[in-house]
């Protein structure tokens, strides 16, 4: 076997002229369509138009050109099947040994902010996927290339032996089916959103690999980092790494957790995260002040953590950041002076990310979680409490300052693993209790961490109190106000305890479990 005829039709024409020129020099006959054919001819590459093969013109604005027996017989014929070869001979058909196709730019089209539905539909490729699938199915005899990165490897094998190896054809065919599956998944997702079916009867998703990771959560686990084809610019997958070694699996998860929290705030904010839980959160008049508060919230746990800021990091803040070991600093940008300071630390990773605002945190998306044998899908938790909707359930109303701290704590506790308790005072967290099997345990951890800072602080709980014991503990620690969802059959018990101690308590009516 050897490659004698190639069918080439590409939307992304990067590298195609040189590739086809090399094929032609090796004696391969090039068949092509539309714009690809025009380009090759212009560049002096011998080319045969698809209409010369099919005996039929390209019609309907190019919608119909390769959907023809003269094309697909040449792709699908089993070369060692006597009946197939007899039919090919009787009908005067020729084999096609190599297909080089990439598809209409559907993803790029729907990424345009002003794209119309009609334009999106027009960029759904039909003939391309059909040729790719035909060639990939018949990879025992046909080579198929969908990725320009494979041009050089294919040329090398053709130069060496006149054809690709079966192993290479299998690999290329597998890549084709991944490519067409991803292409169809993107179209399916677009149409599901257009028709208002975000959770359809079949849920198909596709992601693109950013990089292989050294290992996963632990060294014995393999891992890779993927992104959605149309990921927003304020997500971790769009971050630009300015300094430091590549991200690890745990870095990525922790950085994403920090990013989600810092986007809750309009004012300058800094978040420190360890093991996907915040260990310190602060807001202030500047990123410098916000970082000081985040650091002072828990100077021990921040060591070796991830820090996210929603403002550009300046030199003053950088001088504070350099004083401790941090895995990552993530921000919308860094001043030249800040970069000069921080890049002197070899092991710190600096990530520049898009605009980080509370508005982006309120944009709904879907969260996919794998389980053994399947997955569960839910809307992301983008709920933001409206202060006017809070229900004061105690005799004493919170003061203006207490209300401010309650709303601050509520933004943070939403992102803490359940059961979760957050204590806040002076625009910073002073205690965080995360991931406990009961709410009293979470409160105990938060209060012990806060120490003397618990006195006069406020408390945020991600879910309701099943009884009054957590309020008893909070009152003895000097907590003055509480925010919680409410909804327990024993709410009255908690309200009674709060009233006995003069604690102001408000209900949100919304819980924020995070497992």
């Amino acid at each position: 076997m050897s490659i004698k005829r190639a069918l080439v039709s590409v939307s992304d024409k990067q590298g195609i002229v040189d590739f086809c020129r090399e094929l032609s020099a090796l004696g391969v006959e090039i068949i092509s369509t539309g714009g690809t054919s025009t380009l090759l001819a212009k560049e002096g590459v011998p080319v045969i138009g698809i209409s010369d093969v099919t005996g039929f013109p390209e019609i309907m604005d190019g919608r119909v050109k390769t959907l023809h027996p003269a094309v697909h017989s040449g792709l699908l014929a089993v070369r060692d099947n006597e009946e197939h070869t007899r039919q090919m001979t009787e009908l005067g058909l020729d084999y096609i040994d190599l297909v080089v196709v990439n598809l209409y730019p559907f993803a790029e089209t729907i990424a345009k902010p002003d794209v119309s539905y009609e334009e999106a539909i027009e960029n759904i490729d039909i003939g391309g996927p059909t040729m790719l699938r035909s060639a990939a199915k018949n990879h025992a005899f046909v080579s198929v290339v969908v990725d320009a990165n494979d041009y050089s490897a294919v040329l090398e094998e053709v130069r060496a032996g006149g054809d690709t190896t079966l192993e290479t054809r299998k690999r290329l065919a597998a890549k084709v089916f991944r490519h067409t599956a991803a292409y169809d998944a993107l179209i399916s997702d677009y149409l599901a959103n257009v028709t208002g079916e975000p959770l359809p009867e079949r849920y198909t998703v596709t992601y693109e690999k950013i990089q292989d990771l050294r290992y996963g959560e632990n060294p014995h686990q393999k891992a890779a980092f993927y992104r959605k084809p149309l990921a927003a610019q304020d997500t971790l997958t769009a971050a630009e790494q300015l300094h430091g070694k590549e991200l690890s699996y745990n870095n990525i998860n922790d950085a994403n957790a920090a990013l989600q929290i810092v986007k809750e705030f309009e004012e300058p904010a800094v978040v420190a995260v360890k093991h996907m839980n915040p260990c310190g959160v602060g807001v202030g008049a500047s990123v410098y002040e916000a970082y000081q508060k985040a650091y002072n919230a828990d100077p021990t746990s921040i060591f070796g953590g991830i820090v996210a800021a929603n403002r550009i990091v300046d030199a003053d803040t950088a001088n504070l950041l350099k004083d401790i070991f941090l895995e990552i600093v993530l921000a919308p940008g860094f001043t030249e002076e800040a970069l000069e300071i921080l890049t002197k630390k070899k092991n710190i990773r600096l990530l520049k990310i898009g605009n980080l605002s509370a508005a982006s945190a309120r944009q709904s998306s879907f969260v996919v979680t794998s389980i053994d044998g399947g997955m569960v899908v839910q809307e992301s938790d983008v709920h933001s409490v409206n202060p006017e909707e809070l229900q004061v359930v105690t005799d004493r109303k919170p003061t203006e300052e207490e209300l401010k701290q309650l709303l601050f704590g509520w933004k943070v506790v939403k992102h803490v693993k359940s059961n979760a308790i957050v204590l806040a005072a002076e625009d910073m967290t002073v205690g965080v209790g995360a991931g406990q099997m009961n709410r009293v345990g979470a409160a105990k951890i938060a209060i012990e961490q806060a120490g003397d800072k618990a006195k006069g602080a406020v408390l945020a709980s991600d879910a309701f109190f099943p009884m009054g014991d957590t309020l008893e503990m909070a009152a003895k620690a000097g907590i003055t106000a509480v925010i919680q969802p409410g909804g327990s059959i024993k709410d009255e018990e908690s309200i009674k305890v709060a009233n006995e101690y003069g604690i102001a308590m408000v209900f949100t009516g919304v819980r924020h479990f995070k497992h």
Side-chain angles (χ1 to χ4, degrees):
M1 290 174 56
S2 63
I3 293 177
K4 297 176 181 177
R5 297 174 88 223
L7 196 163
V8 181
S9 180
V10 293
S11 293
D12 180 359
K13 296 175 174 56
Q14 180 181 356
I16 196 61
V17 173
D18 290 340
F19 181 57
C20 288
R21 184 176 283 119
E22 288 277 347
L23 287 175
S24 182
L26 292 167
V28 178
E29 187 177 73
I30 308 293
I31 305 164
S32 193
T33 68
T36 307
S37 178
T38 301
L39 174 64
L40 293 176
K42 179 183 176 182
E43 295 294 328
V45 179
V47 61
I48 299 170
I50 193 68
S51 296
D52 294 328
V53 174
T54 63
F56 204 88
E58 297 186 27
I59 61 172
M60 300 178 183
D61 300 317
R63 282 190 168 205
V64 180
K65 52 193 174 189
T66 60
L67 299 170
H68 193 279
V71 173
H72 288 278
S73 296
L75 296 176
L76 287 167
V78 178
R79 311 292 173 87
D80 56 6
N81 183 305
E82 291 184 4
E83 182 61 20
H84 286 201
T85 57
R86 182 187 63 78
Q87 290 178 21
M88 291 289 288
T89 301
E90 287 181 355
L91 295 170
L93 299 172
D94 290 322
Y95 297 114
I96 297 172
D97 310 302
L98 170 64
V99 169
V100 184
V101 168
N102 55 53
L103 308 177
Y104 292 174
F106 184 79
E108 293 83 352
T109 299
I110 63 174
K112 296 189 294 187
D114 57 347
V115 65
S116 68
Y117 178 73
E118 291 73 22
E119 184 181 1
I121 296 303
E122 196 58 32
N123 275 276
I124 297 175
D125 203 329
I126 302 300
T130 307
M131 286 189 292
L132 288 173
R133 289 171 61 84
S134 293
K137 176 178 179 176
N138 205 25
H139 65 266
F141 308 100
V142 180
S143 303
V144 56
V145 180
V146 75
D147 183 352
N149 291 321
D150 292 313
Y151 290 170
S152 60
V154 168
L155 280 174
E156 185 178 339
E157 291 192 10
V158 175
R159 288 193 201 100
D163 197 0
T164 57
T165 64
L166 179 58
E167 181 181 359
T168 293
R169 293 195 296 275
K170 284 181 179 179
R171 180 180 62 81
L172 294 174
K175 181 178 281 192
V176 162
F177 285 114
R178 289 195 297 271
H179 185 77
T180 57
Y183 193 77
D184 284 341
L186 196 59
I187 295 168
S188 170
D189 184 58
Y190 171 78
L191 291 174
N193 288 328
V194 167
T195 57
E197 298 177 286
L199 294 171
E201 74 287 348
R202 293 182 185 272
Y203 193 82
T204 54
V205 293
T206 182
Y207 296 88
E208 303 165 344
K209 185 188 284 188
I210 297 176
Q211 68 182 77
D212 288 307
L213 302 174
R214 286 177 295 157
Y215 53 81
E217 200 165 6
N218 298 290
H220 62 277
Q221 295 169 273
K222 292 182 179 179
F225 187 19
Y226 291 82
R227 69 173 160 228
K228 296 178 72 173
L230 300 176
Q233 291 304 301
D234 61 353
T235 59
L236 190 62
T237 56
E240 177 187 359
Q241 186 164 348
L242 304 178
H243 177 72
K245 58 187 178 181
E246 68 180 25
L247 298 174
S248 72
Y249 178 93
N250 292 328
N251 288 158
I252 291 165
N253 280 295
D254 285 342
N256 185 63
L259 180 60
Q260 301 314 307
I261 303 170
V262 83
K263 287 197 292 187
E264 291 281 348
F265 298 96
E266 294 285 4
E267 61 269 54
V270 170
V271 175
V273 163
K274 286 286 287 291
H275 305 297
M276 295 180 67
N277 278 306
C279 57
V281 180
V283 299
S286 66
V287 69
Y288 177 81
E289 182 182 341
Y291 173 73
Q292 287 181 308
K293 291 180 178 180
Y295 174 82
N296 289 327
D298 189 347
T300 301
S301 297
I302 195 174
F303 184 86
I306 277 77
V307 167
N310 65 356
R311 296 291 193 277
I312 291 174
V313 173
D314 57 20
D316 289 340
T317 308
N319 275 316
L320 296 179
L321 291 165
K322 74 175 176 59
D323 288 339
I324 61 170
F325 168 60
L326 295 170
E327 290 277 4
I328 297 171
V329 177
L330 185 157
F334 300 81
T335 65
E336 288 186 16
E337 294 86 353
L339 277 176
E340 185 178 351
I341 293 165
L342 292 172
T343 53
K344 290 178 182 177
K345 295 175 70 71
K346 182 176 68 173
N347 291 324
I348 196 170
R349 300 165 177 88
L350 304 179
L351 299 182
K352 179 181 177 182
I353 202 162
N355 178 43
L356 303 180
S357 68
S360 64
R362 291 190 286 271
Q363 294 174 0
S364 183
S365 59
F366 286 84
V367 178
V368 178
T369 303
S370 297
I371 62 168
D372 192 9
M375 66 180 185
V376 289
V377 181
Q378 67 170 346
E379 284 185 310
S380 52
D381 187 359
V382 297
H383 182 271
S384 180
V385 69
N386 183 343
E388 296 178 359
E389 295 175 355
L390 293 175
Q391 180 186 3
V392 179
V393 295
T394 49
D395 295 339
R396 186 174 77 81
K397 294 182 178 181
T399 65
E400 186 175 336
E401 178 60 23
E402 285 174 333
L403 181 59
K404 178 185 176 185
Q405 300 308 317
L406 288 171
L407 293 173
F408 169 85
W410 188 248
K411 290 178 179 179
V412 177
V413 80
K414 168 182 172 181
H415 297 277
V416 179
K417 296 285 187 179
S418 300
N419 287 310
I421 295 290
V422 167
L423 305 188
E426 298 180 354
D427 301 329
M428 60 186 280
T429 55
V430 295
V432 178
Q436 299 306 299
M437 285 64 74
N438 61 72
R439 198 151 300 279
V440 176
K444 182 178 179 182
I445 291 171
I447 290 169
E448 287 180 351
Q449 182 189 354
D452 292 340
K453 294 178 182 177
K455 189 173 183 179
V458 304
L459 180 151
S461 174
D462 65 336
F464 62 62
F465 300 136
M467 52 193 68
D469 49 3
T470 303
L471 262 298
E472 288 275 1
M473 184 183 297
K476 291 175 182 177
I479 303 295
T480 64
V482 170
I483 185 168
Q484 59 133 319
S488 169
I489 59 174
K490 292 191 176 182
D491 276 346
E492 288 303 321
E493 180 180 333
S494 295
I495 293 169
K496 180 181 178 182
V497 173
N499 282 331
E500 287 176 358
Y501 288 96
I503 293 174
M505 186 160 64
V506 297
F507 286 177
T508 66
V510 176
R511 81 176 187 199
H512 287 302
F513 271 157
K514 185 176 178 65
H515 290 96

